[in-house]
């Protein structure tokens, strides 16, 4: 089989939802840049992706650091020649009630989730604009729509991602670059594994489909949003949360 010529960067792709997205896009025959702050895990993921007969490269990136993001895009262009797809998936939680939340907990979450999505999109969009083609998918959250007690920092970052998605969709549409967001609900990953059982049970009562989501549920929708079938969709937020938001 021949190697593919189109390239997707997936941030936070070493594990969890990002890893599933990377695998789904590799199955769609895209070359993949596995960007993550966890370099060893990113290398392992990249190695696994080569079984799809595509090129995969791990790049250590802290998405909240402009120097790292600049290097991510430059290295991608050097190694693969272009970047057509960007999936902004890297994200963290630092939960606390608002009145107890430290400035550091606030700043870390906003820096990685919101500023990181902005920086990666800004640097990637410059390369995409030259080619007059690009697809950006941002991973927001149901928290960014409903708000969540104990997650003022996280919910604000995810709501910010929705506004960023719409703003950039308006700015970049004329260059054939679409920008969309997905709002996952309760998805089983290491991020949600650490939640107390009571919180997990409460989540399930709020889900009409009566089950937690899987990383693959999100990956399939990312694959749709970057496909030709979605070429007339931009600035939208797709709920993938079993009906938690409707
Ligand atoms: P996860 O398992 O914790 O994976 C997130 C990945 O991002 C980790 O490998 C993490 O590395 C990496 N990362 C953290 N900080 C980074 C940085 N500064 N630069 C680059 N990479 C960084 O989380 P997940 O559950 O798969 O979540 C993926 C995305 O979906 C996140 O944006 C999350 O907010 C969103 N989401 C998840 C759920 C859910 O129920 N799981 C629901 C709604 C939205 P470290 O391990 O070092 O932190």
């Amino acid at each position: 089989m021949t190697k593919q010529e189109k390239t997707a960067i997936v941030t936070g792709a070493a594990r969890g939802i990002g890893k599933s997205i990377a695998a789904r896009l590799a199955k769609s025959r895209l070359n993949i840049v596995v960007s993550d702050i966890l370099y060893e895990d990113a290398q392992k993921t990249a190695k696994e992706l080569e079984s799809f007969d595509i090129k995969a490269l791990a790049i250590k990136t802290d998405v909240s650091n402009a120097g790292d993001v600049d290097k991510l895009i430059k290295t991608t262009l050097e190694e693969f020649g272009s970047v057509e797809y960007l999936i902004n998936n890297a994200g963290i939680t630092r939960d606390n009630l608002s009145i107890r939340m430290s400035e550091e907990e606030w700043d870390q979450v906003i820096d990685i989730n919101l500023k990181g999505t902005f920086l990666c999109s800004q640097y990637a969009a410059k390369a995409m604009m030259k080619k007059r083609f690009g697809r950006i998918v941002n991973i927001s959250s149901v928290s960014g729509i409903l708000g969540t007690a104990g997650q003022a920092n996280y919910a604000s970052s995810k709501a910010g991602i929705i506004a960023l998605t719409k703003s950039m969709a308006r700015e970049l549409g004329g260059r054939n670059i679409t920008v969309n967001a997905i709002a996952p609900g309760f998805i089983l990953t290491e991020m949600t594994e650490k939640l107390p059982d009571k919180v997990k049970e409460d989540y399930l009562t709020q889900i009409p489909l009566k089950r937690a989501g899987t990383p693959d549920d999100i990956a399939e929708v990312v694959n749709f949003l970057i496909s030709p079938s979605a070429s007339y969709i931009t600035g939208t937020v797709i709920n993938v949360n079993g009906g938690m938001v409707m």
Side-chain angles (χ1 to χ4, degrees), residues 62-100:
D62 174 356
V63 294
S64 65
N65 180 300
D68 273 19
V69 174
D70 186 28
K71 200 180 104 209
L72 168 68
I73 302 300
K74 280 190 179 140
T75 310
T76 301
L77 294 175
E78 278 162 24
E79 296 292 325
F80 295 102
S82 62
V83 53
E84 285 81 12
Y85 309 100
L86 169 68
I87 318 303
N88 284 303
N89 164 81
I92 62 162
T93 50
R94 295 287 181 270
D95 297 353
N96 215 336
L97 290 173
S98 301
I99 55 164
R100 295 202 193 116

Side-chain angles (χ1 to χ4, degrees), residues 10-21 35-39 41-42 59-65 68-69 88-94 108 111-113 116-117 120 138-144 151 154 157-158 161 182-195 203 212-213 215 218 240-241:
V10 185
T11 70
R15 58 184 174 80
I17 294 171
K19 185 174 176 180
S20 283
I21 295 170
S35 158
D36 206 293
I37 202 156
L38 301 168
Y39 187 52
D41 288 359
I59 301 181
K60 184 175 164 61
T61 323
D62 174 356
V63 294
S64 65
N65 180 300
D68 273 19
V69 174
N88 284 303
N89 164 81
I92 62 162
T93 50
R94 295 287 181 270
Q108 273 185 350
D111 272 2
I112 293 173
N113 298 8
T117 300
C120 292
N138 298 324
I139 305 300
S140 176
S141 168
V142 71
S143 298
Q151 290 195 316
Y154 182 78
S157 73
K158 295 297 185 178
I161 285 174
I182 293 173
F186 177 46
I187 310 297
L188 292 174
T189 65
E190 283 177 45
M191 182 183 265
T192 45
E193 209 171 78
K194 60 192 178 200
L195 290 170
Y203 266 126
I218 307 304
V240 187
N241 44 47

Side-chain angles (χ1 to χ4, degrees), residues 21-245:
I21 295 170
R24 183 64 189 83
L25 301 190
K27 203 173 147 197
S28 288
R29 317 279 308 122
L30 300 179
N31 293 324
I32 307 289
V33 173
V34 179
S35 158
D36 206 293
I37 202 156
L38 301 168
Y39 187 52
E40 280 179 19
D41 288 359
Q43 280 178 310
K44 270 188 227 152
T45 299
K47 194 86 207 136
E48 286 171 35
L49 294 177
E50 283 172 0
S51 66
F52 290 97
D53 195 31
I54 50 99
K55 285 189 273 179
L57 177 70
I59 301 181
K60 184 175 164 61
T61 323
D62 174 356
V63 294
S64 65
N65 180 300
D68 273 19
V69 174
D70 186 28
K71 200 180 104 209
L72 168 68
I73 302 300
K74 280 190 179 140
T75 310
T76 301
L77 294 175
E78 278 162 24
E79 296 292 325
F80 295 102
S82 62
V83 53
E84 285 81 12
Y85 309 100
L86 169 68
I87 318 303
N88 284 303
N89 164 81
I92 62 162
T93 50
R94 295 287 181 270
D95 297 353
N96 215 336
L97 290 173
S98 301
I99 55 164
R100 295 202 193 116
M101 189 172 286
S102 68
E103 188 178 350
E104 194 188 358
E105 285 167 337
W106 174 268
D107 285 346
Q108 273 185 350
V109 171
I110 299 293
D111 272 2
I112 293 173
N113 298 8
L114 182 55
K115 186 174 122 183
T117 300
F118 165 67
L119 288 174
C120 292
S121 303
Q122 182 186 49
Y123 280 78
K126 288 179 192 168
M128 291 170 176
M129 282 168 80
K130 289 188 191 141
K131 296 265 172 148
R132 297 198 174 258
F133 180 86
R135 300 283 177 259
I136 299 175
V137 180
N138 298 324
I139 305 300
S140 176
S141 168
V142 71
S143 298
I145 298 170
L146 298 178
T148 313
Q151 290 195 316
N153 49 359
Y154 182 78
S156 302
S157 73
K158 295 297 185 178
I161 285 174
I162 292 173
L164 175 68
T165 299
K166 294 177 182 179
S167 303
M168 291 193 76
R170 289 182 191 280
E171 290 178 7
L172 298 171
R175 302 292 176 103
N176 193 23
I177 299 169
T178 66
V179 189
N180 291 292
I182 293 173
F186 177 46
I187 310 297
L188 292 174
T189 65
E190 283 177 45
M191 182 183 265
T192 45
E193 209 171 78
K194 60 192 178 200
L195 290 170
D197 286 343
K198 172 82 178 73
V199 174
K200 291 185 203 168
E201 285 160 21
D202 282 354
Y203 266 126
L204 287 175
T205 64
Q206 297 165 40
I207 303 172
L209 286 179
K210 300 292 173 213
R211 68 166 176 91
T214 65
D216 288 347
D217 289 326
I218 307 304
E220 286 298 334
V221 181
V222 172
N223 188 59
F224 164 69
L225 282 172
I226 68 149
S227 75
S229 306
S231 60
Y232 202 54
I233 299 177
T234 196
T236 199
V237 185
I238 299 192
N239 287 307
V240 187
N241 44 47
M244 279 174 96
V245 175

